Amino acid sequence: ELDSTRFQLIYDNNSTVLEYHASLDYSFDDWYQLDASAHFYQYTLDEIEAAWHRPEWEIKLNNTFIPDEKWVIHANINAMGGINVLNLASGNQVKLSTIVDLHLSANYEITDRLSVFATGNNLLNQDYQRFNYYPVRGIQVTGGLGFKF
């Protein structure tokens, strides 16, 4: 009996993926860098209906700020959508909601060997699933100390 909360690998014997990709990299002096990219995927399959759990598109905006030699700050937003899923137990097919994830992190170097950091994920507190029946947690914040040997 199939369990809808477990993954089952499904193969297509002759599949191809055509990816359209655009990217932009920009730097301003030594204190700002932008990496932006957009990916659009076209799947050609022989035996299955869709590329299950694979996105049709992804957009990424990654910003890095270095205000001085001790600070590094990242502000990133990632989005993806068009993810088709199949529940093997019921045979139901659905398209998952669009995912938008805001990520912020900061690292402060106290000395050459000691640093402190904080990271926040899903800061928009979006209720989404990247994989069917696997919800992502709400706002996630972590912090800590780093030590270099």
Side-chain angles (χ1 to χ4, degrees):
E1 187 173 317
L2 295 173
D3 182 353
S4 63
T5 62
R6 293 181 181 235
F7 281 105
Q8 177 71 34
L9 296 178
I10 301 173
Y11 294 98
D12 186 86
N13 285 325
N14 190 23
S15 60
T16 57
V17 179
L18 178 60
E19 177 185 356
Y20 302 96
H21 174 88
S23 64
L24 170 70
D25 293 331
Y26 173 76
S27 293
F28 185 77
D29 289 334
D30 290 334
W31 67 270
Y32 176 72
Q33 182 174 348
L34 166 69
D35 298 313
S37 64
H39 305 261
F40 298 92
Y41 305 99
Q42 181 179 355
Y43 303 96
T44 304
L45 307 165
D46 278 345
E47 299 172 4
I48 59 177
E49 285 184 58
W52 307 117
H53 288 281
R54 303 299 306 155
E56 292 176 355
W57 59 270
E58 292 180 88
I59 296 173
K60 299 177 181 182
L61 290 171
N62 300 320
N63 297 279
T64 302
F65 304 91
I66 305 173
D68 64 41
E69 62 187 33
K70 293 194 176 277
W71 281 99
V72 177
I73 301 167
H74 297 281
N76 305 328
I77 191 159
N78 299 316
M80 69 173 58
I83 302 170
N84 293 301
V85 299
L86 172 65
N87 181 327
L88 290 173
S90 68
N92 291 337
Q93 302 174 24
V94 295
K95 187 173 280 199
L96 296 179
S97 299
T98 297
I99 297 168
V100 178
D101 188 3
L102 176 63
H103 166 90
L104 298 174
S105 67
N107 189 71
Y108 179 74
E109 191 175 279
I110 299 167
T111 68
D112 288 344
R113 293 184 170 212
L114 183 65
S115 63
V116 62
F117 68 90
T119 302
N121 293 313
N122 195 16
L123 294 177
L124 299 176
N125 199 28
Q126 189 183 24
D127 182 22
Y128 68 87
Q129 297 178 45
R130 171 57 182 92
F131 298 100
N132 204 25
Y133 301 116
Y134 289 85
V136 171
R137 295 177 191 254
I139 294 173
Q140 303 163 52
V141 178
T142 58
L145 293 172
F147 184 76
K148 295 178 188 175
F149 293 97

Coordinates of all heavy atoms in Angstrom, one line a residue, residues 34-37 59-63 75-79:
L34 N 25.3 42.5 -6.0 CA 24.0 41.9 -6.3 C 24.2 40.8 -7.3 O 25.0 40.9 -8.3 CB 23.2 43.0 -7.0 CG 21.9 42.5 -7.7 CD1 20.9 42.0 -6.7 CD2 21.3 43.5 -8.6
D35 N 23.6 39.6 -7.0 CA 23.6 38.5 -7.9 C 22.1 38.2 -8.1 O 21.4 37.8 -7.1 CB 24.3 37.3 -7.3 CG 25.7 37.5 -7.0 OD1 26.4 38.0 -7.9 OD2 26.2 37.2 -5.9
A36 N 21.6 38.4 -9.3 CA 20.2 38.1 -9.6 C 20.2 37.1 -10.7 O 21.0 37.1 -11.7 CB 19.5 39.4 -10.0
S37 N 19.2 36.2 -10.6 CA 19.1 35.2 -11.7 C 17.6 34.8 -11.8 O 16.8 34.8 -10.9 CB 20.0 34.0 -11.5 OG 19.5 33.3 -10.3
I59 N 13.4 32.4 -9.3 CA 14.0 33.7 -9.4 C 14.8 34.0 -8.1 O 14.2 33.7 -7.0 CB 12.9 34.8 -9.6 CG1 12.3 34.7 -10.9 CG2 13.6 36.2 -9.4 CD1 11.1 35.6 -11.1
K60 N 16.0 34.4 -8.2 CA 16.8 34.7 -7.0 C 17.4 36.1 -7.0 O 18.0 36.5 -8.0 CB 18.0 33.6 -6.9 CG 17.5 32.2 -6.8 CD 18.6 31.2 -6.9 CE 18.1 29.8 -6.8 NZ 19.2 28.8 -6.8
L61 N 17.3 36.8 -5.9 CA 18.0 38.1 -5.7 C 18.8 38.0 -4.5 O 18.3 37.9 -3.4 CB 17.0 39.2 -5.6 CG 16.1 39.6 -6.8 CD1 15.0 40.5 -6.4 CD2 17.0 40.2 -7.9
N62 N 20.1 38.0 -4.6 CA 21.0 37.9 -3.5 C 21.9 39.2 -3.4 O 22.6 39.6 -4.3 CB 22.0 36.7 -3.7 CG 21.2 35.4 -3.8 OD1 20.3 35.2 -3.1 ND2 21.6 34.5 -4.7
N63 N 21.7 39.8 -2.2 CA 22.4 41.1 -2.0 C 23.4 40.8 -0.9 O 23.1 40.2 0.2 CB 21.4 42.1 -1.5 CG 20.4 42.5 -2.6 OD1 20.7 43.2 -3.5 ND2 19.2 41.9 -2.5
A75 N 21.1 39.9 2.3 CA 19.6 40.0 2.2 C 19.2 39.4 0.9 O 19.5 39.9 -0.2 CB 19.2 41.5 2.2
N76 N 18.5 38.2 1.0 CA 18.2 37.4 -0.2 C 16.7 37.2 -0.3 O 16.1 36.9 0.8 CB 19.0 36.1 -0.2 CG 20.5 36.3 0.0 OD1 21.0 37.2 -0.5 ND2 21.1 35.3 0.7
I77 N 16.2 37.1 -1.5 CA 14.8 36.7 -1.7 C 14.9 35.7 -2.8 O 15.5 35.9 -3.9 CB 13.9 37.8 -2.0 CG1 12.4 37.4 -1.9 CG2 14.2 38.6 -3.2 CD1 11.4 38.5 -1.6
N78 N 14.2 34.5 -2.6 CA 14.2 33.4 -3.5 C 12.7 33.1 -3.8 O 11.9 33.0 -2.8 CB 14.9 32.2 -3.1 CG 16.4 32.5 -2.8 OD1 17.0 33.1 -3.6 ND2 16.9 32.0 -1.7
A79 N 12.3 32.9 -5.0 CA 11.0 32.5 -5.4 C 11.0 31.4 -6.4 O 11.9 31.3 -7.2 CB 10.2 33.7 -5.9

